Amino acid sequence: KRIGINQLKKINILIDRRRKIGNLYYNLFSSSYPWVKQYWKINTPYSHIPFLHPNRNELQEYLLENGIETEKYFDYIVPELEQYKYDGKFLRAKHLSDQIINLPINVALNKMTISKIVATIKEFEININYIKKK
């Protein structure tokens, strides 16, 4: 009970911190990834930072090699779940689920760490484009 009460006392601080982290990601990504402006919003206290990339698995591996942990939060689609089983194909949903990873949003992240995450993703982008041109 005391833990819950203590967490509630911090809720506004935690929400404000998540809002600032979301704004940092938005500002650092929006010039290089135009879709960010369409799907992410400024001043939103995100619980997850979803990032779309067509080479998600390779990006996730590259980030991990650089000390950045991500998670495949949407590694499934609802129609695949037994309780929602439907006949048919949901190609768009599957396509998106195969591209989404969640970037770190720990409230202890600072601007320097978030900048490193973004720079590492951009570095991956340069490397993958170079490899494709070979």
Side-chain angles (χ1 to χ4, degrees):
K1 180 179 172 182
R2 275 189 237 147
I3 293 171
I5 290 170
N6 285 333
Q7 290 297 80
L8 281 174
K9 289 177 184 176
K10 297 183 215 174
I11 193 76
N12 290 333
I13 293 167
L14 295 172
I15 288 172
D16 187 55
R17 187 70 195 121
R18 286 179 181 259
R19 186 177 288 120
K20 288 177 181 174
I21 290 169
N23 288 349
L24 279 169
Y25 274 121
Y26 180 94
N27 290 329
L28 292 169
F29 274 128
S30 60
S31 63
S32 300
Y33 297 89
W35 61 262
V36 165
K37 290 180 181 176
Q38 186 177 1
Y39 294 106
W40 293 0
K41 304 294 177 222
I42 287 287
N43 293 321
T44 300
Y46 288 101
S47 61
H48 298 88
I49 300 289
F51 189 80
L52 291 167
H53 198 281
N55 301 100
R56 175 195 63 183
N57 295 336
E58 293 86 352
L59 173 60
Q60 185 177 37
E61 187 177 312
Y62 188 81
L63 291 171
L64 192 56
E65 288 170 4
N66 285 279
I68 301 166
E69 291 187 30
T70 60
E71 52 182 31
K72 295 177 188 174
Y73 192 75
F74 298 105
D75 205 23
Y76 62 88
I77 57 174
V78 171
E80 291 177 345
L81 300 175
E82 192 60 38
Q83 63 269 39
Y84 298 106
K85 204 67 163 172
Y86 292 104
D87 290 331
K89 295 183 179 179
F90 299 87
L91 301 176
R92 187 73 180 145
K94 183 66 177 150
H95 174 75
L96 290 173
S97 75
D98 289 342
Q99 293 187 30
I100 293 177
I101 60 172
N102 283 316
L103 301 180
I105 185 131
N106 180 323
V107 293
L109 290 176
N110 58 34
K111 185 175 183 175
M112 189 170 81
T113 305
I114 293 170
S115 295
K116 178 190 176 213
I117 293 166
V118 172
T120 305
I121 291 171
K122 290 179 179 180
E123 179 182 287
F124 171 80
E125 198 71 41
I126 291 167
N127 290 337
I128 196 115
N129 286 333
Y130 177 76
I131 291 168
K132 285 180 181 179
K133 288 180 182 178
K134 278 185 155 185

